[in-house]
């Protein structure tokens, strides 16, 4: 096992990040120790990597530890990307000080945009969560992973696309997924397994190009792509106006007489550029 200490630009509140991650029953989060174990897929190798805070919001320091010392630098790069350690949150917070979201950014100062730990599984999770309450989405996602994934030392590793591509629609329907969602997940897994959809290539595309590429696939609409852009690719300026959670959060924060429409929410998102993804993140956090 190896260990490496990382210093991150302030503000960076790992405790806020863990509280949000702890909402997902699949994740190995220890709030008392301020630690999470990340299930990394490195090619065909499954690697549990621990990330633990030893600092504060204003002096953030973290310890990363794991096996495979020969791949330490690669693992550090992946973890740095997932936890957005190179993103200067001070600039993001400074931007929102002159907006109506200033109180929200003061309340959750230092909350980073933590990405889903696997790009393929991010897309699958977005498909599962379509038009569902957050808790129901988490429950179905947990069922999916515990049926088709693998547990190692208390950490659940997500299944690979090849594993789901080999399944029938009925296998997924048995998890209480709708028939259409079962088809969408198996079909997109087959596209990836066959090399017809290469998720890594999406990293090099502009947001609009990713939207065009993915919405051409049956079952993938704008909401799914917008969430994939935020939590899969870490794009900073995406705002899903049709998201029910965001509509609820805006209604609550601004004490509106009724829930805003997608059109009204899109107009707000325009005002929060170029960090609309962070506006969405902090709004979601306010109602979780």
């Amino acid at each position: 096992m190896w260990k490496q200490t990382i210093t991150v630009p302030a503000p960076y509140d790992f405790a806020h990040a863990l509280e949000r991650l702890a909402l997902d029953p699949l994740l190995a989060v220890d709030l008392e120790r301020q630690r999470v174990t990340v299930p990394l897929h490195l090619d065909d190798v499954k690697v549990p990597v621990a990330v633990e805070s030893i600092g504060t919001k204003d002096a953030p320091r973290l310890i990363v530890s794991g096996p495979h010392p020969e791949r330490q630098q690669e693992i550090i790069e992946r973890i740095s990307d997932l936890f957005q350690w190179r993103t200067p949150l001070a600039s993001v917070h400074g931007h929102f000080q002159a907006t109506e979201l200033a109180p929200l950014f003061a309340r959750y100062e230092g909350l980073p945009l933590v990405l889903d730990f696997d790009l393929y599984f991010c897309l699958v999770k977005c498909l599962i969560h379509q038009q569902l309450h957050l808790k129901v989405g988490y429950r179905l996602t947990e069922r999916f992973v515990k049926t088709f994934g693998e547990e190692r030392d208390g950490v659940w590793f997500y299944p690979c696309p090849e594993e789901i591509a080999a399944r029938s629609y009925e296998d997924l329907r048995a998890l209480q997924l709708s028939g259409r969602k079962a088809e969408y997940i198996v079909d997109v897994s087959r596209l990836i397994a066959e090399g017809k959809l290469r998720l890594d290539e999406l990293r090099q595309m502009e947001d609009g190009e990713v939207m065009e590429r993915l919405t051409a696939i049956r079952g993938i609409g704008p909401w799914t792509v917008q969430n994939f852009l935020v939590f899969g690719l870490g794009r900073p300026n995406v705002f899903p106006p049709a998201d029910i959670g965001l509509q609820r959060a805006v209604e609550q924060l601004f004490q509106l007489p009724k829930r805003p429409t997608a059109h009204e929410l899109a107009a707000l998102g325009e005002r929060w550029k170029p960090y609309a993804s962070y506006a969405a993140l902090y709004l979601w956090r306010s109602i979780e």
Side-chain angles (χ1 to χ4, degrees):
M1 292 286 288
W2 53 268
K3 288 185 178 182
Q4 183 170 333
T5 301
I6 306 291
T7 300
V8 180
Y12 188 95
D13 198 325
F14 195 64
H16 273 330
L18 286 187
E19 287 167 5
R20 191 160 202 272
L21 291 175
L23 297 172
D24 188 338
L26 271 174
L27 301 184
V29 176
D30 187 331
L31 292 174
E32 185 175 348
R33 294 182 62 186
Q34 287 293 285
R35 171 188 172 108
V36 60
T37 303
V38 178
L40 276 192
H41 287 259
L42 298 180
D43 303 322
D44 294 328
V45 182
K46 295 180 173 70
V47 184
V49 180
V51 183
E52 183 175 348
S53 174
I54 56 170
T56 64
K57 178 185 71 176
D58 297 317
R61 294 176 69 234
L62 301 112
I63 294 177
V64 183
S65 59
H68 300 284
E70 74 283 0
R71 306 189 75 166
Q72 178 176 345
Q73 192 54 43
E74 178 186 2
I75 290 169
I76 290 293
E77 288 295 318
R78 284 283 299 277
I79 294 294
S80 296
D81 181 53
L82 293 176
F83 287 90
Q84 299 285 281
W85 287 340
R86 299 185 186 91
T87 299
L89 290 178
S91 300
V92 176
H93 283 264
H95 170 77
F96 283 98
Q97 291 311 301
T99 74
E100 59 272 77
L101 294 184
L104 203 59
F105 276 77
R107 189 191 314 169
Y108 299 111
E109 184 183 18
L111 172 66
L113 176 61
V114 178
L115 307 190
D116 283 323
F117 299 151
D118 178 82
L119 203 55
Y120 160 68
F121 191 68
C122 177
L123 183 56
V124 169
K125 189 167 81 170
C126 289
L127 287 169
I128 292 174
H129 279 246
Q130 285 177 353
Q131 298 179 320
L132 292 178
H133 188 279
L134 186 64
K135 289 183 179 179
V136 177
Y138 277 141
R139 186 163 62 246
L140 288 174
T141 305
E142 180 184 21
R143 192 176 297 159
F144 176 87
V145 173
K146 290 187 175 180
T147 301
F148 303 122
E150 178 185 359
E151 183 185 15
R152 293 189 182 183
D153 300 324
V155 181
W156 279 98
F157 285 84
Y158 317 124
C160 296
E162 292 78 10
E163 295 166 320
I164 304 304
R167 297 288 177 172
S168 68
Y169 299 150
E170 288 71 25
D171 288 336
L172 271 69
R173 287 196 192 104
L175 306 179
Q176 295 185 315
L177 288 167
S178 70
R180 286 189 176 181
K181 281 190 184 179
E183 293 173 13
Y184 300 158
I185 293 167
V186 171
D187 289 350
V188 78
S189 300
R190 288 173 180 169
L191 287 176
I192 296 168
E194 293 165 5
K196 296 176 182 176
L197 173 62
R198 299 182 182 277
L199 295 181
D200 278 343
E201 291 180 355
L202 302 179
R203 297 182 191 275
Q204 313 307 319
M205 295 182 183
E206 298 293 328
D207 293 356
E209 294 177 295
V210 177
M211 179 67 72
E212 184 178 355
R213 176 69 182 93
L214 290 182
T215 53
I217 299 169
R218 189 173 76 99
I220 299 181
W223 180 91
T224 299
V225 180
Q226 288 159 345
N227 278 269
F228 179 79
L229 284 166
V230 174
F231 295 109
L233 300 179
R235 300 296 168 86
N237 193 36
V238 179
F239 196 80
D243 186 90
I244 299 299
L246 287 181
Q247 293 173 8
R248 284 180 50 228
V250 168
E251 178 188 18
Q252 179 178 296
L253 182 67
F254 299 137
Q255 299 181 331
L256 301 178
K258 63 178 182 178
R259 192 168 295 175
T261 64
H263 178 74
E264 290 168 335
L265 214 60
L268 282 174
E270 288 293 316
R271 285 157 51 178
W272 297 326
K273 288 183 173 182
Y275 298 118
S277 298
Y278 287 88
L281 173 67
Y282 281 58
L283 284 164
W284 276 317
R285 188 72 192 100
S286 71
I287 60 170
E288 290 172 341

